[in-house]
Coordinates of all heavy atoms in Angstrom, one line a residue:
T62 N 23.4 35.0 -8.7 CA 22.3 34.9 -9.8 C 22.2 33.5 -10.4 O 23.2 32.7 -10.3 CB 22.7 35.8 -11.0 OG1 24.0 35.7 -11.4 CG2 22.6 37.3 -10.5
P63 N 21.1 33.1 -11.0 CA 21.0 31.7 -11.6 C 21.8 31.7 -12.9 O 22.0 32.7 -13.6 CB 19.5 31.6 -11.7 CG 19.0 33.0 -11.9 CD 19.8 33.8 -11.0
C64 N 22.0 30.5 -13.4 CA 22.5 30.1 -14.6 C 21.7 30.6 -15.9 O 20.5 30.4 -15.6 CB 23.0 28.8 -14.8 SG 24.3 28.4 -13.7
S65 N 22.2 31.1 -16.8 CA 21.4 31.1 -18.1 C 21.2 29.8 -18.7 O 21.9 28.8 -18.3 CB 21.9 32.1 -19.0 OG 23.3 31.7 -19.2
A66 N 20.4 29.6 -19.7 CA 20.2 28.5 -20.4 C 21.4 28.0 -21.0 O 22.2 28.7 -21.6 CB 18.9 28.5 -21.4
V67 N 21.6 26.6 -20.9 CA 22.9 26.1 -21.4 C 22.6 25.5 -22.8 O 21.6 24.9 -23.2 CB 23.4 24.9 -20.6 CG1 24.6 24.1 -21.1 CG2 23.8 25.5 -19.2
Q68 N 23.6 25.6 -23.7 CA 23.5 25.2 -25.0 C 23.7 23.7 -25.2 O 24.6 23.2 -24.5 CB 24.4 26.0 -26.1 CG 24.1 27.5 -26.0 CD 22.8 27.9 -26.5 OE1 22.4 27.4 -27.6 NE2 22.1 28.8 -25.8
V69 N 23.1 23.1 -26.2 CA 23.3 21.7 -26.6 C 24.0 21.7 -28.0 O 23.8 22.6 -28.7 CB 21.8 21.0 -26.8 CG1 22.0 19.6 -27.3 CG2 21.1 21.0 -25.6
P70 N 25.0 20.9 -28.1 CA 25.3 19.6 -27.3 C 26.2 20.1 -25.9 O 26.8 21.1 -25.9 CB 26.2 18.8 -28.2 CG 26.8 19.7 -29.1 CD 25.8 20.9 -29.4
Y71 N 26.0 19.2 -24.9 CA 26.5 19.5 -23.6 C 27.2 18.3 -23.2 O 26.8 17.2 -23.3 CB 25.4 19.9 -22.7 CG 25.8 20.0 -21.2 CD1 26.5 21.1 -20.7 CD2 25.6 18.9 -20.4 CE1 26.6 21.2 -19.3 CE2 26.0 18.9 -19.0 CZ 26.5 20.1 -18.5 OH 26.8 20.1 -17.2
V72 N 28.4 18.4 -22.6 CA 29.2 17.3 -22.0 C 29.7 17.8 -20.7 O 30.4 18.9 -20.6 CB 30.4 16.9 -22.9 CG1 31.2 15.8 -22.4 CG2 29.8 16.5 -24.3
E73 N 29.7 16.9 -19.8 CA 30.3 17.1 -18.4 C 31.0 15.7 -17.9 O 30.2 14.7 -17.7 CB 29.1 17.5 -17.3 CG 29.7 17.7 -16.0 CD 30.9 18.6 -15.9 OE1 30.6 19.9 -16.0 OE2 32.1 18.3 -15.8

Side-chain angles (χ1 to χ4, degrees):
T62 54
C64 292
S65 56
V67 172
Q68 300 296 313
V69 176
Y71 169 83
V72 176
E73 179 54 75

